[in-house]
Amino acid sequence: MDCIFCKIANKEMDALTIGEGDLTITFLDIFPHAKGHAVVIPKTHRETVGDLTKEELAALFSAVQDAVQLLGHALQPDGFTIGINQGKAAGQAVPHLHVHVLPRFERDGGGSVHSVVNAPSEEPLAELREKIVQSKQKKMVG
Ligand code: 5GP
Ligand code: ZN
């Protein structure tokens, strides 16, 4: 498969790696949006969170924790933004799941996760919840 992140995971393409485990690899983003902007990926090609096995999921978030600790120690940021763009609508450009780890600094000019989108449903929240819960029950039965 012609996937740049698979190539990085398979060492067919160079990346500035800062961490590696059996199931994950962590490297610096080539177009950083923050000092120390890193991405953590599963070594196996998975497009979305839902595609991961539970073992991969645990390994991925363990690697995110390692990246936060490492970057925190090395760069002494004031905080972190940790996020996934899943699907084209959310801005996913590379269709191999990756968790962005962005060290944040006071007065870096960036926003919070709340600044990503502001398009809430006009439906009352209780109705929305009902719809969500009902769909879950249907799924569990069917
Ligand atoms: P997305 O928009 O899919 O969430 O983010 C993809 C990220 O991968 C971008 O931040 C982009 O800069 C980074 N990226 C794309 N190609 C490469 C590459 O070849 N090497 C590295 N290190 N990062 C890449
Ligand atoms: Zn891939």
Side-chain angles (χ1 to χ4, degrees), residues 17-28 36-44 52 54-72 80-84 97-102:
T17 304
I18 60 167
E20 184 166 3
D22 290 343
L23 302 179
T24 66
I25 185 160
T26 302
F27 51 91
L28 295 181
H37 180 178
V39 285
V40 186
I41 67 167
K43 284 185 171 175
T44 303
L52 292 168
K54 295 292 182 208
E55 189 190 9
E56 289 166 348
L57 188 70
L60 189 69
F61 272 82
S62 173
V64 168
Q65 184 184 52
D66 290 346
V68 166
Q69 277 167 356
L70 179 64
L71 292 164
F80 283 91
T81 296
I82 299 163
I84 295 170
L97 177 69
H98 46 284
V99 184
H100 291 269
V101 178
L102 296 129

Side-chain angles (χ1 to χ4, degrees), residues 4-5 8 13-15 27-31 33 37 39 85 91-94 98 100:
I4 46 172
F5 285 1
I8 289 174
M13 217 175 108
D14 285 339
F27 51 91
L28 295 181
D29 195 294
I30 205 162
F31 298 118
H33 279 249
H37 180 178
V39 285
N85 296 325
Q92 183 174 10
V94 177
H98 46 284
H100 291 269

